[in-house]
Amino acid sequence: MSGIIKVENLSFAYRSQGTIVKDISFEVMQGTFLTIAGPNGAGKTTLLNLLCGLLSAQAGSIKIDAAHIESYSVKELAQKLAVVRQEFVPVFDFTVAQVVSMARTPYLGTFGFESQADMKFINEALEMTDTKQFSSRPLAELSGGERQRVFIARALAQNTPILLLDEPTSFLDLKHQVGIYDLLKTMQLEKGKTIVAVTHDINLAAQYADVTLLLGADTSYQYGRAQDVFSPEQIERVFGVRAFTGKIGEEKFFIPLGKFAKDRSRIGRKVDSS
Amino acid sequence: MLTSEKLAVRIVICLAVLCVVMCLCAMVGPQKVSLRKVFAGPGEEPGGNIDYEIFVGVRLPRVILAALVGAALACSGVVLQAILRNPLADPYILGISSGAGLGVIIAVLSGATWAFWGGSPIAVFAFAGALGTVWLVWCIGHFTGKSQVTSLLLAGVVINAFFSAVIMFLTSIAKSEQVHSTIFWLMGNITEKSLSVLGVSAACIFAGIIALFCISHRLNVLTFGEEEAKALGVDTARTRVIAFGFAAFITAIAVSLSGLVGFVGLIIPHGVRLVFGPDHRQLLPVSGIIGSVFLVAADTLARTIVAPAQLPVGIITAIAGGPFFLVLLAKYSRKVSWLK
């Protein structure tokens, strides 16, 4: 069975920065939760932009649902994958309902009005993300966490098999970070969505993701089960930080240890708290 | 949520208001006109019903002209604010005014006297100047910057400054009688036009507005930026070309008909957005109609306030538009939600 996303020998370089993504290959099966992690400048967002067709690869190929990404029109691609970018405030005062309804743009006719079927997707997305309660409020009046939920609702209303998210929990507090990841996991499990999320949080990545792509600043990468990819050695090699690794049941957790860490003797030790 | 039925009802109500305002304004003037006599139709002999002749032959064409110009400028403002993602953009920020102004100066100085489809050489040169400037700004903006929105704005500002300097230079070396007519035109001036000019202009402006309405749902998404719009299936380059092209086209027609009428393209979209919300499927047609109402009323003031003399309508739009906009801003900002 072929994966819904298939990346083969992908390379990309910016003129000013040199090679960012080099010879990457991986395959994501439908209904999988993939996280892309790595230090700043490792090419996480660049890879996401390649996957959503915003950038064109200089070598290699990306297949979405068994067809080359270049073979899709912008409209067709928007029916295959939805993108949630880092939180922002729009120029004009659109309400939450208006923002979520924009998800149906790839399906609208000449005059651009939503049908009953479109409204069903919009209402479902609002309910699932618990954003219906403030659907008539302007987006700008919401908190960062609420806004992020609205953008996820929009992605859900787009009704695509794949969801790409660029650091969906940046700027959010712990409660909202967990809330967003719970929501994504629910969408994966209940709706069969394929989730691809760029993240800096390796604990959340290890807890929620099925597979992880760990990008190094030197264009190296490792792809595999999240629990396998994240190890103290990999974290130290990729991020340049030693980490304390523990385990609660099957869940791994990591505590980065800086030079002022109180108990330096435990650096790198693994503790099983189960 | 906006539905096509809801929008249709609102457009019909706004059009009814426009019709009433147009009728009332066509009755106002130094010569009083009775609507009953107007409805009685033309007399058996030419000039047999003076009220009808004044209403239909003189005032109505002028009122229609003001409505067309108001609609074109307001719709153009809506579209430019969306594609430039800048609420302060208006049809003139991209140098359209100075381009048209330069065309007029050239027409006046060259002493052209021919006519094209009933349009005077001034109107034709203004149209060509406005459209040519927009094309120039687009080319410069397109080839100079990574962010096309910023490049377009900067190219417009630079072209505007350059053409303004050329206009000042040419005005300073022109003869005084030539300067007078040019300055009047630069302040925005609505005068009677022939029916053929009105007919062709109306057809072009309606076609342009309908084309823009067809992409209005994509304009909503475009205000979120290039990346967001592409992720939502909008071909941003194509949409921007269509939007920019038709906005420039209807602005050029408006400018060639009436000179440089300021403020309409800026304040009407703002005002309508404050009351009805930013959904461009509604904002575009409603702004067009309210722009018509505003300019018809402003032109009526311009031709009656110091009658029998007449003021350029641009003076009225600037004087009335500013305070009107401030009141609207203070009253409605973030308060009215039932129409959105």
Side-chain angles (χ1 to χ4, degrees):
Chain A
M1 197 175 81
S2 178
I4 194 163
I5 301 172
K6 193 172 184 183
V7 174
E8 285 179 312
N9 308 110
L10 190 73
S11 293
F12 180 84
Y14 290 108
R15 257 184 229 165
S16 54
Q17 285 175 279
T19 303
I20 295 284
V21 174
K22 192 177 174 185
D23 208 19
I24 287 182
S25 299
F26 63 92
E27 190 169 359
V28 185
M29 308 310 285
Q30 185 160 3
T32 304
F33 196 133
L34 163 71
T35 49
I36 303 173
N40 289 336
K44 301 184 295 296
T45 301
T46 302
L47 181 59
L48 198 84
N49 285 338
L50 286 162
L51 291 177
C52 70
L54 203 62
L55 294 173
S56 298
Q58 280 132 9
S61 69
I62 298 171
K63 283 183 183 169
I64 303 290
D65 212 2
H68 281 284
I69 196 167
E70 296 85 7
S71 67
Y72 292 107
S73 67
V74 180
K75 195 172 178 175
E76 287 167 344
L77 196 59
Q79 294 175 3
K80 290 283 175 193
L81 46 90
V83 186
V84 178
R85 296 192 181 279
Q86 287 179 41
E87 200 254 313
F88 76 102
V89 181
V91 180
F92 299 112
D93 242 359
F94 285 101
T95 63
V96 168
Q98 285 171 331
V99 171
V100 175
S101 70
M102 285 181 204
R104 303 307 297 168
T105 306
Y107 306 93
L108 298 181
T110 312
F111 293 108
F113 284 95
E114 294 85 5
S115 64
Q116 288 297 318
D118 293 319
M119 291 309 297
K120 191 171 152 270
F121 283 114
I122 292 163
N123 285 325
E124 245 179 47
L126 287 168
E127 274 164 20
M128 192 166 181
T129 52
D130 205 17
T131 48
K132 197 161 193 168
Q133 52 187 315
F134 39 74
S135 63
S136 58
R137 280 172 61 192
L139 189 70
E141 286 181 6
L142 305 184
S143 70
E146 289 170 335
R147 268 204 290 272
Q148 200 62 327
R149 266 159 60 201
V150 171
F151 284 117
I152 291 174
R154 192 185 69 179
L156 198 58
Q158 210 170 322
N159 192 35
T160 57
I162 305 168
L163 255 71
L164 305 178
L165 304 102
D166 190 3
E167 297 186 36
T169 55
S170 54
F171 313 118
L172 299 185
D173 63 31
L174 200 57
K175 182 188 167 193
H176 286 103
Q177 286 180 30
V178 172
I180 294 290
Y181 269 87
D182 279 345
L183 180 59
L184 295 175
K185 196 71 186 173
T186 308
M187 281 155 58
Q188 179 207 357
L189 298 176
E190 287 185 8
K191 300 272 178 184
K193 305 275 184 193
T194 305
I195 313 279
V196 178
V198 167
T199 183
H200 274 297
D201 194 320
I202 55 175
N203 280 307
L204 285 174
Q207 189 183 337
Y208 287 90
D210 304 312
V211 283
T212 289
L213 178 68
L214 185 60
L215 299 175
D218 56 355
T219 69
S220 65
Y221 76 96
Q222 199 183 2
Y223 180 70
R225 280 182 61 232
Q227 295 289 321
D228 299 336
V229 169
F230 291 121
S231 65
E233 297 75 27
Q234 281 293 352
I235 291 168
E236 186 170 356
R237 188 186 67 77
V238 171
F239 293 97
V241 175
R242 302 190 78 179
F244 176 91
T245 310
K247 218 171 178 189
I248 302 173
E250 289 303 307
E251 304 284 354
K252 266 186 185 176
F253 66 88
F254 309 91
I255 301 171
L257 294 162
K259 63 180 178 180
F260 295 107
K262 282 178 182 160
D263 191 355
R264 298 278 298 170
S265 63
R266 295 171 73 115
I267 289 176
R269 276 182 58 188
K270 293 182 185 178
V271 171
D272 193 338
S273 311
S274 57
Chain B
M1 287 285 289
L2 183 70
T3 60
S4 51
E5 293 80 16
K6 224 186 245 186
L7 178 64
V9 169
R10 286 174 188 176
I11 288 178
V12 168
I13 292 170
C14 290
L15 280 174
V17 171
L18 175 64
C19 289
V20 170
V21 170
M22 285 173 75
C23 278
L24 289 175
C25 287
M27 288 167 66
V28 176
Q31 173 70 41
K32 284 189 178 173
V33 170
S34 156
L35 209 53
R36 194 169 49 82
K37 285 185 182 173
V38 171
F39 281 124
E44 287 175 6
E45 296 164 16
N49 184 347
I50 295 293
D51 284 27
Y52 179 86
E53 298 292 335
I54 292 173
F55 189 90
V56 176
V58 180
R59 292 196 189 145
L60 205 55
R62 180 164 173 159
V63 163
I64 291 171
L65 177 69
L68 286 174
V69 171
L73 293 177
C75 287
S76 182
V78 167
V79 172
L80 291 175
Q81 285 172 14
I83 58 175
L84 295 174
R85 300 179 63 212
N86 189 332
L88 292 176
D90 82 337
Y92 300 138
I93 202 168
L94 297 170
I96 300 173
S97 57
S98 51
L102 189 61
V104 170
I105 297 271
I106 291 169
V108 170
L109 292 184
S110 64
T113 53
W114 43 264
F116 181 75
W117 267 22
S120 70
I122 284 186
V124 174
F125 271 71
F127 181 78
L131 219 52
T133 307
V134 167
W135 178 77
L136 190 64
V137 168
W138 177 264
C139 289
I140 294 172
H142 195 69
F143 292 111
T144 52
K146 283 181 189 170
S147 164
Q148 210 184 341
V149 170
T150 314
S151 303
L152 275 177
L153 274 171
L154 288 175
V157 170
V158 170
I159 295 278
N160 207 359
F162 179 73
F163 280 0
S164 298
V166 176
I167 289 170
M168 277 191 278
F169 171 73
L170 291 176
T171 311
S172 62
I173 61 167
K175 294 174 191 165
S176 59
E177 63 269 23
Q178 290 174 324
V179 171
H180 180 75
S181 63
T182 308
I183 286 177
F184 222 68
W185 190 90
L186 287 172
M187 286 192 289
N189 196 22
I190 288 176
T191 53
E192 291 77 15
K193 295 279 188 295
S194 70
L195 283 176
S196 63
V197 170
L198 275 184
V200 172
S201 306
C204 291
I205 288 172
F206 278 131
I209 291 174
I210 286 169
L212 290 170
F213 180 71
C214 290
I215 58 162
S216 57
H217 63 291
R218 285 187 252 162
L219 292 178
N220 281 342
V221 180
L222 211 57
T223 63
F224 281 64
E226 186 89 10
E227 293 179 353
E228 289 287 318
K230 277 186 177 164
L232 290 170
V234 173
D235 185 339
T236 51
R238 188 162 163 261
T239 304
R240 206 171 273 136
V241 167
I242 294 171
F244 200 76
F246 279 107
F249 179 63
I250 59 175
T251 303
I253 294 171
V255 167
S256 66
L257 288 172
S258 65
L260 306 182
V261 181
F263 261 87
V264 181
L266 179 67
I267 62 165
I268 297 298
H270 257 298
V272 174
R273 196 180 290 114
L274 283 170
V275 179
F276 288 87
D279 189 335
H280 288 79
R281 295 171 298 183
Q282 178 170 251
L283 184 62
L284 187 89
V286 174
S287 290
I289 300 168
I290 302 297
S292 295
V293 170
F294 178 71
L295 204 60
V296 166
D299 182 53
T300 306
L301 269 178
R303 65 182 168 78
T304 54
I305 203 164
V306 289
Q310 295 190 4
L311 289 173
V313 71
I315 294 175
I316 303 294
T317 57
I319 290 174
F324 168 74
F325 177 61
L326 286 177
V327 169
L328 209 61
L329 195 66
K331 193 171 178 187
Y332 283 99
S333 188
R334 294 187 186 281
K335 283 181 186 170
V336 176
S337 61
W338 57 277
L339 282 168
K340 293 180 182 177

